mmCIF file of all heavy atoms in Angstrom:
data_model
loop_
_atom_site.group_PDB
_atom_site.id
_atom_site.type_symbol
_atom_site.label_atom_id
_atom_site.label_comp_id
_atom_site.label_asym_id
_atom_site.label_seq_id
_atom_site.Cartn_x
_atom_site.Cartn_y
_atom_site.Cartn_z
ATOM 1 N N ILE A 159 0.829 -1.199 0.000
ATOM 2 C CA ILE A 159 0.000 0.000 0.000
ATOM 3 C C ILE A 159 0.869 1.257 0.000
ATOM 4 O O ILE A 159 0.487 2.299 -0.533
ATOM 5 C CB ILE A 159 -0.973 0.003 1.213
ATOM 6 C CG1 ILE A 159 -2.138 0.966 0.968
ATOM 7 C CG2 ILE A 159 -0.255 0.400 2.502
ATOM 8 C CD1 ILE A 159 -3.221 0.873 2.023
ATOM 9 N N LEU A 160 2.065 1.151 0.584
ATOM 10 C CA LEU A 160 2.987 2.280 0.612
ATOM 11 C C LEU A 160 3.686 2.444 -0.735
ATOM 12 O O LEU A 160 3.721 3.538 -1.305
ATOM 13 C CB LEU A 160 4.024 2.075 1.731
ATOM 14 C CG LEU A 160 5.078 3.176 1.917
ATOM 15 C CD1 LEU A 160 4.413 4.502 2.258
ATOM 16 C CD2 LEU A 160 6.068 2.795 3.007
ATOM 17 N N PHE A 161 4.212 1.339 -1.266
ATOM 18 C CA PHE A 161 4.960 1.412 -2.523
ATOM 19 C C PHE A 161 4.057 1.639 -3.738
ATOM 20 O O PHE A 161 4.519 2.122 -4.768
ATOM 21 C CB PHE A 161 5.809 0.147 -2.710
ATOM 22 C CG PHE A 161 7.088 0.173 -1.926
ATOM 23 C CD1 PHE A 161 7.142 -0.297 -0.626
ATOM 24 C CD2 PHE A 161 8.245 0.699 -2.483
ATOM 25 C CE1 PHE A 161 8.319 -0.261 0.109
ATOM 26 C CE2 PHE A 161 9.432 0.744 -1.766
ATOM 27 C CZ PHE A 161 9.470 0.269 -0.466
ATOM 28 N N GLU A 162 2.794 1.304 -3.621
ATOM 29 C CA GLU A 162 1.861 1.589 -4.718
ATOM 30 C C GLU A 162 1.736 3.097 -4.924
ATOM 31 O O GLU A 162 1.475 3.566 -6.031
ATOM 32 C CB GLU A 162 0.486 0.994 -4.412
ATOM 33 C CG GLU A 162 0.354 -0.482 -4.746
ATOM 34 C CD GLU A 162 -1.048 -1.005 -4.496
ATOM 35 O OE1 GLU A 162 -1.892 -0.874 -5.388
ATOM 36 O OE2 GLU A 162 -1.293 -1.529 -3.395
ATOM 37 N N GLU A 163 1.891 3.838 -3.849
ATOM 38 C CA GLU A 163 1.799 5.297 -3.920
ATOM 39 C C GLU A 163 3.099 5.913 -4.427
ATOM 40 O O GLU A 163 3.098 6.976 -5.047
ATOM 41 C CB GLU A 163 1.458 5.864 -2.531
ATOM 42 C CG GLU A 163 0.081 5.499 -2.019
ATOM 43 C CD GLU A 163 -1.024 6.118 -2.853
ATOM 44 O OE1 GLU A 163 -0.837 7.258 -3.336
ATOM 45 O OE2 GLU A 163 -2.067 5.464 -3.041
ATOM 46 N N ILE A 164 4.208 5.257 -4.134
ATOM 47 C CA ILE A 164 5.527 5.810 -4.472
ATOM 48 C C ILE A 164 5.922 5.507 -5.918
ATOM 49 O O ILE A 164 6.390 6.387 -6.645
ATOM 50 C CB ILE A 164 6.608 5.253 -3.517
ATOM 51 C CG1 ILE A 164 6.310 5.680 -2.076
ATOM 52 C CG2 ILE A 164 7.989 5.732 -3.933
ATOM 53 C CD1 ILE A 164 7.225 5.051 -1.045
ATOM 54 N N LEU A 165 5.737 4.256 -6.339
ATOM 55 C CA LEU A 165 6.193 3.833 -7.662
ATOM 56 C C LEU A 165 5.104 4.007 -8.727
ATOM 57 O O LEU A 165 3.919 3.837 -8.435
ATOM 58 C CB LEU A 165 6.631 2.366 -7.626
ATOM 59 C CG LEU A 165 7.824 2.053 -6.721
ATOM 60 C CD1 LEU A 165 8.094 0.554 -6.714
ATOM 61 C CD2 LEU A 165 9.063 2.795 -7.195
ATOM 62 N N PRO A 166 5.504 4.334 -9.953
ATOM 63 C CA PRO A 166 4.530 4.496 -11.038
ATOM 64 C C PRO A 166 3.974 3.149 -11.492
ATOM 65 O O PRO A 166 4.641 2.124 -11.367
ATOM 66 C CB PRO A 166 5.358 5.141 -12.156
ATOM 67 C CG PRO A 166 6.743 4.667 -11.901
ATOM 68 C CD PRO A 166 6.882 4.607 -10.400
ATOM 69 N N GLN A 167 2.738 3.150 -11.977
ATOM 70 C CA GLN A 167 2.115 1.943 -12.498
ATOM 71 C C GLN A 167 2.021 2.079 -14.015
ATOM 72 O O GLN A 167 1.359 2.976 -14.518
ATOM 73 C CB GLN A 167 0.730 1.746 -11.884
ATOM 74 C CG GLN A 167 0.766 1.518 -10.376
ATOM 75 C CD GLN A 167 -0.629 1.376 -9.770
ATOM 76 O OE1 GLN A 167 -1.605 1.186 -10.471
ATOM 77 N NE2 GLN A 167 -0.707 1.481 -8.454
ATOM 78 N N TYR A 168 2.681 1.166 -14.723
ATOM 79 C CA TYR A 168 2.751 1.240 -16.175
ATOM 80 C C TYR A 168 1.655 0.431 -16.868
ATOM 81 O O TYR A 168 1.649 0.320 -18.084
ATOM 82 C CB TYR A 168 4.121 0.753 -16.653
ATOM 83 C CG TYR A 168 5.256 1.649 -16.220
ATOM 84 C CD1 TYR A 168 5.925 1.431 -15.021
ATOM 85 C CD2 TYR A 168 5.656 2.724 -17.014
ATOM 86 C CE1 TYR A 168 6.977 2.253 -14.625
ATOM 87 C CE2 TYR A 168 6.707 3.550 -16.625
ATOM 88 C CZ TYR A 168 7.365 3.306 -15.424
ATOM 89 O OH TYR A 168 8.389 4.135 -15.040
ATOM 90 N N VAL A 169 0.761 -0.160 -16.095
ATOM 91 C CA VAL A 169 -0.297 -1.000 -16.664
ATOM 92 C C VAL A 169 -1.655 -0.501 -16.180
ATOM 93 O O VAL A 169 -1.742 0.339 -15.286
ATOM 94 C CB VAL A 169 -0.110 -2.480 -16.254
ATOM 95 C CG1 VAL A 169 1.141 -3.059 -16.893
ATOM 96 C CG2 VAL A 169 -0.041 -2.627 -14.738
ATOM 97 N N SER A 170 -2.721 -1.040 -16.766
ATOM 98 C CA SER A 170 -4.077 -0.647 -16.381
ATOM 99 C C SER A 170 -4.382 -1.140 -14.970
ATOM 100 O O SER A 170 -3.699 -2.028 -14.450
ATOM 101 C CB SER A 170 -5.095 -1.224 -17.359
ATOM 102 O OG SER A 170 -5.129 -2.644 -17.246
ATOM 103 N N LYS A 171 -5.420 -0.590 -14.358
ATOM 104 C CA LYS A 171 -5.787 -0.979 -13.003
ATOM 105 C C LYS A 171 -6.149 -2.467 -12.936
ATOM 106 O O LYS A 171 -5.797 -3.150 -11.966
ATOM 107 C CB LYS A 171 -6.970 -0.146 -12.501
ATOM 108 C CG LYS A 171 -7.309 -0.421 -11.031
ATOM 109 C CD LYS A 171 -8.476 0.390 -10.564
ATOM 110 C CE LYS A 171 -8.743 0.160 -9.077
ATOM 111 N NZ LYS A 171 -8.908 -1.268 -8.723
ATOM 112 N N ASP A 172 -6.849 -2.976 -13.960
ATOM 113 C CA ASP A 172 -7.220 -4.388 -13.970
ATOM 114 C C ASP A 172 -5.991 -5.292 -13.999
ATOM 115 O O ASP A 172 -5.924 -6.295 -13.278
ATOM 116 C CB ASP A 172 -8.115 -4.693 -15.179
ATOM 117 C CG ASP A 172 -9.515 -4.122 -15.012
ATOM 118 O OD1 ASP A 172 -9.913 -3.874 -13.859
ATOM 119 O OD2 ASP A 172 -10.188 -3.924 -16.035
ATOM 120 N N VAL A 173 -5.020 -4.936 -14.833
ATOM 121 C CA VAL A 173 -3.785 -5.729 -14.926
ATOM 122 C C VAL A 173 -3.000 -5.613 -13.621
ATOM 123 O O VAL A 173 -2.411 -6.584 -13.145
ATOM 124 C CB VAL A 173 -2.917 -5.276 -16.114
ATOM 125 C CG1 VAL A 173 -1.568 -5.999 -16.110
ATOM 126 C CG2 VAL A 173 -3.636 -5.543 -17.431
ATOM 127 N N TRP A 174 -2.999 -4.422 -13.045
ATOM 128 C CA TRP A 174 -2.293 -4.214 -11.779
ATOM 129 C C TRP A 174 -2.892 -5.073 -10.669
ATOM 130 O O TRP A 174 -2.175 -5.712 -9.899
ATOM 131 C CB TRP A 174 -2.340 -2.743 -11.385
ATOM 132 C CG TRP A 174 -1.594 -2.457 -10.108
ATOM 133 C CD1 TRP A 174 -2.118 -2.305 -8.865
ATOM 134 C CD2 TRP A 174 -0.175 -2.341 -9.956
ATOM 135 N NE1 TRP A 174 -1.123 -2.097 -7.942
ATOM 136 C CE2 TRP A 174 0.074 -2.113 -8.586
ATOM 137 C CE3 TRP A 174 0.888 -2.407 -10.846
ATOM 138 C CZ2 TRP A 174 1.360 -1.942 -8.095
ATOM 139 C CZ3 TRP A 174 2.170 -2.243 -10.335
ATOM 140 C CH2 TRP A 174 2.397 -2.008 -8.984
ATOM 141 N N ASP A 175 -4.221 -5.093 -10.591
ATOM 142 C CA ASP A 175 -4.903 -5.913 -9.587
ATOM 143 C C ASP A 175 -4.573 -7.390 -9.790
ATOM 144 O O ASP A 175 -4.392 -8.134 -8.826
ATOM 145 C CB ASP A 175 -6.416 -5.702 -9.657
ATOM 146 C CG ASP A 175 -6.831 -4.318 -9.170
ATOM 147 O OD1 ASP A 175 -6.031 -3.683 -8.451
ATOM 148 O OD2 ASP A 175 -7.944 -3.874 -9.521
ATOM 149 N N MET A 176 -4.509 -7.818 -11.052
ATOM 150 C CA MET A 176 -4.149 -9.201 -11.347
ATOM 151 C C MET A 176 -2.698 -9.465 -10.963
ATOM 152 O O MET A 176 -2.379 -10.545 -10.429
ATOM 153 C CB MET A 176 -4.357 -9.511 -12.830
ATOM 154 C CG MET A 176 -3.930 -10.913 -13.230
ATOM 155 S SD MET A 176 -4.156 -11.261 -14.980
ATOM 156 C CE MET A 176 -5.662 -12.205 -14.924
ATOM 157 N N PHE A 177 -1.837 -8.516 -11.205
ATOM 158 C CA PHE A 177 -0.414 -8.644 -10.881
ATOM 159 C C PHE A 177 -0.214 -8.927 -9.396
ATOM 160 O O PHE A 177 0.565 -9.805 -9.015
ATOM 161 C CB PHE A 177 0.309 -7.354 -11.273
ATOM 162 C CG PHE A 177 1.744 -7.287 -10.826
ATOM 163 C CD1 PHE A 177 2.721 -8.040 -11.448
ATOM 164 C CD2 PHE A 177 2.126 -6.450 -9.782
ATOM 165 C CE1 PHE A 177 4.048 -7.972 -11.040
ATOM 166 C CE2 PHE A 177 3.438 -6.374 -9.368
ATOM 167 C CZ PHE A 177 4.405 -7.137 -9.994
ATOM 168 N N LEU A 178 -0.939 -8.200 -8.545
ATOM 169 C CA LEU A 178 -0.805 -8.366 -7.100
ATOM 170 C C LEU A 178 -1.254 -9.752 -6.648
ATOM 171 O O LEU A 178 -0.844 -10.228 -5.585
ATOM 172 C CB LEU A 178 -1.619 -7.288 -6.368
ATOM 173 C CG LEU A 178 -1.142 -5.839 -6.579
ATOM 174 C CD1 LEU A 178 -2.041 -4.875 -5.808
ATOM 175 C CD2 LEU A 178 0.311 -5.664 -6.159
ATOM 176 N N VAL A 179 -2.101 -10.400 -7.457
ATOM 177 C CA VAL A 179 -2.548 -11.759 -7.153
ATOM 178 C C VAL A 179 -1.567 -12.786 -7.715
ATOM 179 O O VAL A 179 -1.169 -13.731 -7.031
ATOM 180 C CB VAL A 179 -3.955 -12.012 -7.746
ATOM 181 C CG1 VAL A 179 -4.345 -13.475 -7.571
ATOM 182 C CG2 VAL A 179 -4.981 -11.110 -7.083
ATOM 183 N N ILE A 180 -1.154 -12.579 -8.958
ATOM 184 C CA ILE A 180 -0.275 -13.532 -9.646
ATOM 185 C C ILE A 180 1.076 -13.691 -8.945
ATOM 186 O O ILE A 180 1.608 -14.804 -8.835
ATOM 187 C CB ILE A 180 -0.049 -13.104 -11.112
ATOM 188 C CG1 ILE A 180 -1.349 -13.204 -11.906
ATOM 189 C CG2 ILE A 180 1.034 -13.956 -11.766
ATOM 190 C CD1 ILE A 180 -1.879 -14.603 -12.063
ATOM 191 N N ILE A 181 1.645 -12.590 -8.453
ATOM 192 C CA ILE A 181 2.965 -12.700 -7.818
ATOM 193 C C ILE A 181 2.905 -13.547 -6.548
ATOM 194 O O ILE A 181 3.920 -14.102 -6.115
ATOM 195 C CB ILE A 181 3.589 -11.316 -7.512
ATOM 196 C CG1 ILE A 181 2.684 -10.478 -6.606
ATOM 197 C CG2 ILE A 181 3.917 -10.585 -8.790
ATOM 198 C CD1 ILE A 181 3.311 -9.162 -6.185
ATOM 199 N N GLN A 182 1.709 -13.669 -5.958
ATOM 200 C CA GLN A 182 1.562 -14.533 -4.790
ATOM 201 C C GLN A 182 1.796 -15.998 -5.163
ATOM 202 O O GLN A 182 2.256 -16.787 -4.342
ATOM 203 C CB GLN A 182 0.170 -14.387 -4.183
ATOM 204 C CG GLN A 182 -0.067 -13.061 -3.483
ATOM 205 C CD GLN A 182 -1.419 -13.016 -2.804
ATOM 206 O OE1 GLN A 182 -2.331 -13.773 -3.130
ATOM 207 N NE2 GLN A 182 -1.568 -12.123 -1.857
ATOM 208 N N LEU A 183 1.458 -16.355 -6.399
ATOM 209 C CA LEU A 183 1.661 -17.737 -6.848
ATOM 210 C C LEU A 183 3.146 -18.093 -6.871
ATOM 211 O O LEU A 183 3.526 -19.233 -6.609
ATOM 212 C CB LEU A 183 1.038 -17.933 -8.231
ATOM 213 C CG LEU A 183 -0.484 -17.736 -8.314
ATOM 214 C CD1 LEU A 183 -0.968 -17.940 -9.737
ATOM 215 C CD2 LEU A 183 -1.207 -18.688 -7.367
#
């Protein structure tokens, strides 16, 4: 939640939300 504010997001919100799930795998 902290780094999401600091670092830029280069993908859409949907892809970003998926990313946060996929990396858990």
Side-chain angles (χ1 to χ4, degrees):
I159 199 172
L160 180 61
F161 280 89
E162 278 183 85
E163 293 294 325
I164 298 173
L165 297 176
Q167 296 178 14
Y168 294 91
V169 293
S170 67
K171 186 181 183 306
D172 287 338
V173 174
W174 182 260
D175 290 340
M176 177 181 259
F177 172 73
L178 295 180
V179 173
I180 293 295
I181 58 175
Q182 289 185 340
L183 297 179

